[in-house]
Amino acid sequence: MNNPVLNVKAVCKDFGGVRALDEAELSVNDKEIVALIGPNGAGKTTFFNCITGIYTPTSGDVLIDPAAKGQAVRINGKKPNVVTELGMARTFQNIRLFPSMTALENVMIGTHCRTKASVWGAITRNKATREEEQAVIKRSYELLQLVGLDEFVNELAENIPYGKQRRLEIARALATDPFLLLLDEPAAGMNPQETKELEALICQIRDQFGISIMLIEHDMKMVMSMSDRIYVLDYGRMIATGTPQEIADNPAVIKAYLGEDDDA
Amino acid sequence: MSNLTQETSQQSFISFFLTAGCDSVAHAVKKSFIVAIWFVFLTFPIMVIQVNTIEKTVVWHWNKIGYVAIAVFFGSFLWRWLLARKELKKDESTEETRIEGLLTRIQSHPLLKLASLGVLALAAILYPQVFDLYQTNIMVSCLVYIVLGLGLNIVVGLAGLLDLGYVAFYAVGAYAYALSNMHWGIGFWFALPLGAVLGTLLGLLLGFPVLRLRGDYLAIVTLGFGEIIRLVLENWGDITMGPSGISNIARPGFFGMKMSIMDSTIYMYYIMIGLVIFTIFCVNRLQNSRIGRAWLALREDEIACQAMGIDKMKTKLLAFALGATWAGMAGVIFAAKTTFINPASFTFWESAMILSIVVIGGMGSIRGVIAGAVILILVPEYLRNFAEFRMLLFGAIMVLVMVFRPQGLISAKRKIYKYEASNTASAANE
């Protein structure tokens, strides 16, 4: 079996006296769609922040292996931009686009860590810079087409409809050329039709780019139909893992979501 | 019929004008009355009481109170109407103003663009020939502020780092030329790149520790650094000649020619025009480049920016250092222009002035910054006729701009948009 591209081992995160993550374990295999679910406040976004470098885990290991060949690199404590450069791109739960930049520019920002035009290149606009710029524009435009936003190319991000903004965030994350795409509640605030389209888009991205995807999501219908595996987080602890069917039947998960009957 | 609608629209306009922001005409009159009284009270000391220090008497100008009251009473109607109008047009305010629209139209038409650039160039070349020494001198200092504004625009407008100590780099450039000229006789043309390099180095040096901070905290720390530099210049007498400053700084030479003050001022003017063009060229290219986009992203959302793989520290440092580069060059020119510098030229007031140029002109907009510099530097000069009211009017202009155009005189939005439009077209054509 292939080595997992992301392997999280016993990660803990304390905020003062509160333990937000307690020995959380998780792995994502190559070209797999993994969902992370759990009740509100379970620590899902904290988990994302820990593996993308926004927080440093209190203890534990976050290992990545972009080529899935058994050469794992430990990334905890690395800065978010380094993590992105290594190939993990994320979106945010509360959309964090660059509001007064156009959609195209937002995506172009994603290519920043893969390009290298310097100040000198920018001022002289030499051949290498111009070619790089053209390539970036072309690729960004293609990514916008992929997520179905080509009509908004020159629209400011703040003027784009909410559902489309989420798609723009995905395009921007894809522009960083990741091996693992981390989506934090990509379907939040979307209607059923949009959710369905989003699901198709995510599967298409996985197939077309051959990358792994991990998502946090509350829409159970979407999670159950598209994930290969599901992890359930509750009070910072991974309480269950398995295929959608196994999770649906797991009594611990049902208990976490619906609560325990006091009389029992 | 049309006459009728015109009449009613006129009537509704008048009633809107009279009651803007109020429930009824009576309410509006009451409001204006209160405002008038308040202003009479506020301006009483400056308008009414005049102390004659020679005869040691107090002259009371009671008639002026009446003027103030009447002017404020009617002015407040106008003010409320303008505010209400702005409120009504809130949704449209994101669109271009008429001037901006005109600029865009000129820019998008190649022939018109060429023609207007030609007119501008001609005006710039002929300016010192047409106007006298005084006017040319004012224009040179205005051009210096344009360069400073464009430099600070990189830091504040593009990268969103509030820098209140920008004048420190300006001072370093000026002192670099003054001292090296005094001690080693280094000429202007060598000092110009030297000032730029020193500005950059100091920018990096100061930037490194302070850029962990952001927003208000960064502003305070940079403010402190600006003051530190000034105090060092003031107190390190052995090296900097202290508060008495350095005089007899050489004017820029032109192949060893001896020039009169008139000629050298004109020469200075052309050097400044050259530097302004060079600055516009560089800043324009920078802001539309990969680095410029990273600055914008940093300004918009720091966390998302980092999550997209942009090295926050490196990008901030770059903005800080590049901004300082222009300040260093402007400093060299300032020293060469005035031939005398002392620490009093580099107070916080200068930093505030340059920041105002950027904010009032329009953050991140090159044309905005130029417009801001022209207005903020030239207006106080030409207001000298109004002597004691000069600064009052100046302040009023600033308040008015901020109330009615908080995004600045010429906002930057469209510029980015246009740049992308032309590029996407080429991307789509491929």
Side-chain angles (χ1 to χ4, degrees), chain A residues 170-189:
Chain A
I170 295 176
R172 187 180 68 176
L174 275 177
T176 65
D177 236 342
F179 69 86
L180 174 63
L181 188 59
L182 302 161
L183 307 174
D184 197 346
E185 299 202 19

Side-chain angles (χ1 to χ4, degrees), chain A residues 15 18 32 38 98 110 118 135 141 149-150 163 169 174 180 186 199 227 258:
Chain A
F15 291 111
V18 180
E32 196 178 32
F98 306 119
S118 61
Y141 190 73
L149 281 172
D150 33 347
E169 250 201 329
L174 275 177
L180 174 63
E199 194 182 324
S227 322
L258 300 179

Side-chain angles (χ1 to χ4, degrees), chain B residues 267-379:
Chain B
Y267 181 43
M268 203 70 228
Y269 171 83
Y270 286 125
I271 291 174
M272 249 354 270
I273 289 280
L275 186 68
V276 166
I277 291 171
F278 175 65
T279 311
I280 293 173
F281 176 81
C282 289
V283 173
N284 186 36
R285 286 210 156 172
L286 276 173
Q287 75 175 11
N288 292 334
S289 72
R290 166 177 176 266
I291 293 159
R293 284 192 297 272
W295 285 336
L296 285 184
L298 194 71
R299 182 186 75 183
E300 305 272 293
D301 190 327
E302 233 173 75
I303 292 178
C305 173
Q306 261 193 306
M308 286 303 116
I310 292 170
D311 190 338
K312 196 171 80 178
M313 280 305 279
K314 218 169 123 185
T315 312
K316 278 186 179 183
L317 216 52
L318 204 60
F320 218 64
L322 275 171
T325 308
W326 303 115
M329 284 201 269
V332 172
I333 289 189
F334 174 74
K337 173 190 161 245
T338 54
T339 71
F340 166 75
I341 54 168
N342 70 350
S345 311
F346 308 105
T347 53
F348 172 66
W349 168 250
E350 291 297 307
S351 289
M353 195 71 192
I354 303 164
L355 187 67
S356 313
I357 287 174
V358 176
V359 173
I360 286 184
M363 299 236 262
S365 150
I366 293 177
R367 282 171 297 185
V369 170
I370 294 172
V374 169
I375 290 174
L376 289 197
I377 303 304
L378 294 189
V379 165

Side-chain angles (χ1 to χ4, degrees), chain A residues 170-215:
Chain A
I170 295 176
R172 187 180 68 176
L174 275 177
T176 65
D177 236 342
F179 69 86
L180 174 63
L181 188 59
L182 302 161
L183 307 174
D184 197 346
E185 299 202 19
M190 286 189 172
N191 63 34
Q193 178 61 28
E194 285 175 320
T195 310
K196 228 167 134 188
E197 286 166 9
L198 180 74
E199 194 182 324
L201 174 69
I202 293 173
C203 292
Q204 189 197 347
I205 287 170
R206 193 252 313 252
D207 298 336
Q208 194 174 331
F209 293 85
I211 61 177
S212 317
I213 290 164
M214 182 176 158
L215 71 159

